[in-house]
């Protein structure tokens, strides 16, 4: 097979999309025409979901109805809760647990086996169920593994606040709820990243929405994709435990040939715009708590890596300290990424179904040819 080899499909155009635009040189991210800074400041996660799924921002009446529908789907069937308890007892990793639980959710969705997997209206109903229940299954699993009971959802709270309520058993204050809502908005979509492409490949076979989201979760679990935010926080804790100056710790790590988590991106050549927004939130949380340690440590590392390596931080770098200051366990960072990105995965799958073609690339064969087949006695 002739043609230029594109390792990792870098720079290869495989589809057209109206969902998100990234300018890596300018550090710009756009959802359906709206700049991410504006959405992070002014839009709720529910509004962003509606925008991604419908291509336009909702009116006040549409937003109220949409939010109510999502809230009504949050509670979990007893069978799903039983699976969550078993996974917690087996000490399954959070991402593996989330993958299994989303797959299990399909057994309790009356539309899961609908014959036409491309039917948009049916898929929108599935989408609401999946997106509403993913925070619930994650919170349930997290509580079960620490020996706590399931907290039923509160339909009076929005998507972000309800997750924190179900996770911790108490309603979050306004600052925490708004910060988490902003984090969900920032992670909702990001072009054809690896997990989104995985969901599209699955749906291109005319597999169903649950299968596509489950595929995406498996892809996001890798350390080169969603696992980076947890690695950033583990690094910051190692720096703190060492009692070393952050820049000296990083210099030693680089001298040992280690990679500093949270820097560089396949798309951005400048600072990730989401990192700018979350950096400001991390600073605000530190000021509110009277402890600027994690923010100041992060800034020192960012400045050093920028000067020495010419690399800028990505979204994972500041989401780590933001989540940590909110009291969220480190191994839940990547599952929370999935909880948010589910909205974007679903939006891309809906687009894929609208004009579907099986995604089937080819590989250049580099093995041998023309070998004579030996009998088993001759091998």
């Amino acid at each position: 097979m002739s043609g230029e080899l594109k390792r990792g499909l870098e720079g290869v155009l495989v589809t057209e999309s109206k969902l998100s635009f990234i300018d890596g040189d300018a550090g710009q991210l756009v959802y359906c025409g709206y700049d991410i800074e504006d959405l992070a400041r002014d839009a709720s996660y529910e509004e962003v979901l509606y925008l991604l799924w419908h291509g336009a921002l909702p009116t006040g009446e549409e937003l109220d109805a949409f939010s109510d529908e999502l809230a009504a789907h949050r509670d979990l069937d007893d069978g799903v809760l039983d699976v969550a308890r078993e996974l917690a007892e087996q000490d399954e990793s959070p991402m593996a647990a989330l993958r299994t639980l989303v797959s299990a959710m399909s057994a309790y969705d009356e539309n899961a086996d609908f014959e036409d997997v491309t039917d948009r209206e049916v898929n929108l109903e599935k989408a609401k169920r999946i997106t509403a229940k993913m925070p619930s299954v994650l919170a349930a699993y997290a509580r079960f593994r620490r020996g706590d009971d399931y907290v039923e959802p509160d339909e009076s709270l929005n998507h972000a606040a309800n997750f924190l309520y179900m996770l911790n058993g108490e309603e979050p204050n306004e600052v925490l709820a708004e910060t988490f809502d902003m984090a969900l908005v920032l992670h909702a979509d990001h072009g054809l990243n690896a997990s989104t492409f995985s969901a599209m490949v699955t749906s291109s076979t005319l597999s169903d929405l649950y299968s596509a989201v489950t595929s995406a979760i498996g892809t996001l679990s890798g350390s080169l994709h969603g696992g980076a935010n947890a690695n950033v926080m583990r690094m910051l804790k190692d720096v703190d435990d060492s009692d070393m100056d952050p820049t000296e710790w990083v210099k030693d790590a680089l001298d040992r040939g280690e990679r500093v988590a949270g820097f560089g991106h396949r798309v951005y050549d400048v600072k990730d715009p989401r990192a700018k927004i979350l950096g400001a939130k991390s600073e605000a949380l530190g000021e509110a708590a009277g402890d600027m340690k994690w923010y100041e440590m992060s800034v020192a590392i960012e400045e050093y890596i920028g000067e020495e390596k010419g690399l800028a931080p990505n979204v994972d770098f500041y989401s780590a300290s933001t989540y940590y200051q909110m009291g969220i366990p480190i191994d839940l960072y990547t599952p929370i990424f999935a909880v948010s990105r589910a909205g974007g995965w679903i939006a891309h799958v809906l687009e894929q179904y609208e004009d579907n073609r099986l995604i089937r690339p080819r590989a250049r064969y580099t093995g041998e040819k023309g070998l004579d087949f030996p009998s088993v006695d001759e091998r």
Side-chain angles (χ1 to χ4, degrees):
M1 181 181 177
S2 61
E4 183 182 357
L5 184 65
K6 295 284 190 177
R7 305 272 312 169
L9 298 181
E10 187 166 359
V12 176
L13 292 174
V14 299
T15 191
E16 294 181 329
S17 176
K18 297 179 180 179
L19 297 172
S20 58
F21 167 76
I22 304 166
D23 186 331
D25 295 326
Q28 182 183 28
L29 173 61
V30 171
Y31 294 170
C32 299
Y34 296 95
D35 195 89
I36 192 61
E37 281 86 358
D38 294 333
L39 293 173
R41 183 184 63 245
D42 297 325
S44 66
Y45 183 67
E46 286 89 337
E47 286 178 277
V48 168
L49 277 183
Y50 191 98
L51 173 66
L52 291 172
W53 294 356
H54 296 277
L57 288 170
T59 64
E61 186 176 333
E62 289 170 335
L63 178 60
D64 288 342
F66 182 71
S67 299
D68 288 346
E69 288 177 44
L70 284 173
H73 286 309
R74 288 175 184 160
D75 207 5
L76 301 174
D77 294 279
D78 289 341
V80 175
L81 288 171
D82 289 342
V83 175
R85 288 189 186 91
E86 178 65 21
L87 292 170
E89 289 174 2
Q90 296 301 319
D91 198 28
E92 180 65 282
S93 70
M95 277 299 280
L98 184 64
R99 180 198 64 217
T100 301
L101 287 163
V102 169
S103 184
M105 278 159 41
S106 69
Y108 300 89
D109 187 336
E110 61 187 16
N111 292 316
D113 296 325
F114 193 80
E115 186 174 352
D116 182 3
V117 298
T118 69
D119 187 291
R120 179 174 173 82
E121 293 307 312
V122 172
N123 280 325
L124 284 172
E125 289 305 310
K126 291 180 185 178
K128 293 169 191 172
R129 289 175 178 269
I130 293 170
T131 309
K133 292 180 186 296
M134 278 182 66
S136 300
V137 295
L138 179 59
Y141 160 82
R143 290 185 65 81
F144 291 156
R145 71 172 179 171
R146 65 178 186 242
D148 294 332
D149 293 330
Y150 173 64
V151 173
E152 294 184 357
D154 184 341
E155 293 188 18
S156 70
L157 299 175
N158 69 12
H159 194 76
N162 180 71
F163 170 73
L164 295 176
Y165 167 69
M166 293 184 70
L167 179 67
N168 298 319
E170 59 183 34
E171 188 173 333
N173 63 43
E174 186 175 343
V175 172
L176 292 182
E178 288 182 354
T179 299
F180 192 66
D181 187 67
M182 177 181 286
L184 295 181
V185 168
L186 293 173
H187 287 89
D189 194 44
H190 204 243
L192 260 61
N193 54 84
S195 55
T196 296
F197 188 61
S198 177
M200 291 172 62
V201 170
T202 299
S203 60
S204 80
T205 70
L206 294 186
S207 187
D208 71 299
L209 192 57
Y210 281 94
S211 297
V213 173
T214 302
S215 295
I217 294 171
T219 304
L220 187 68
S221 66
S223 62
L224 292 182
H225 192 6
N229 52 11
N231 291 335
V232 170
M233 197 61 228
R234 294 187 183 105
M235 175 187 72
L236 293 176
K237 287 177 67 66
D238 286 344
V239 175
D240 188 48
D241 291 341
S242 73
D243 291 326
M244 294 176 64
D245 179 83
T247 56
E248 288 300 316
W249 189 96
V250 170
K251 183 179 183 301
D252 287 351
L254 292 173
D255 289 343
R256 294 192 300 269
E258 297 178 7
R259 184 175 181 273
V260 179
F263 285 87
H265 198 282
R266 279 283 289 271
V267 178
Y268 295 110
D269 294 322
V270 295
K271 188 170 182 177
D272 187 328
R274 300 167 299 174
K276 293 179 182 179
I277 298 167
L278 282 175
K281 273 297 179 184
S282 177
E283 181 181 17
L285 287 173
E287 290 175 344
D291 183 5
M292 299 296 291
K293 174 175 65 177
W294 302 113
Y295 175 73
E296 291 173 352
M297 189 184 301
S298 299
V299 170
I301 293 172
E302 176 186 351
E303 291 176 349
Y304 181 80
I305 293 294
E307 292 171 0
E308 296 296 319
K309 297 295 182 180
L311 295 175
N314 54 45
V315 68
D316 299 306
F317 189 68
Y318 281 105
S319 67
S321 55
T322 300
Y323 290 158
Y324 191 76
Q325 291 177 100
M326 295 175 70
I328 296 173
I330 294 174
D331 64 356
L332 294 188
Y333 292 4
T334 306
I336 285 171
F337 192 158
V339 163
S340 171
R341 185 58 57 82
W345 292 335
I346 289 167
H348 283 273
V349 169
L350 294 175
E351 267 196 341
Q352 180 68 32
Y353 283 147
E354 286 176 2
D355 187 24
N356 187 60
R357 182 171 175 80
L358 177 66
I359 298 174
R360 205 295 191 188
R362 296 181 65 185
R364 179 182 295 151
Y365 178 69
T366 59
E368 297 185 81
K369 298 177 182 178
L371 298 177
D372 292 326
F373 184 78
S375 68
V376 68
D377 295 333
E378 296 174 313
R379 298 173 202 166

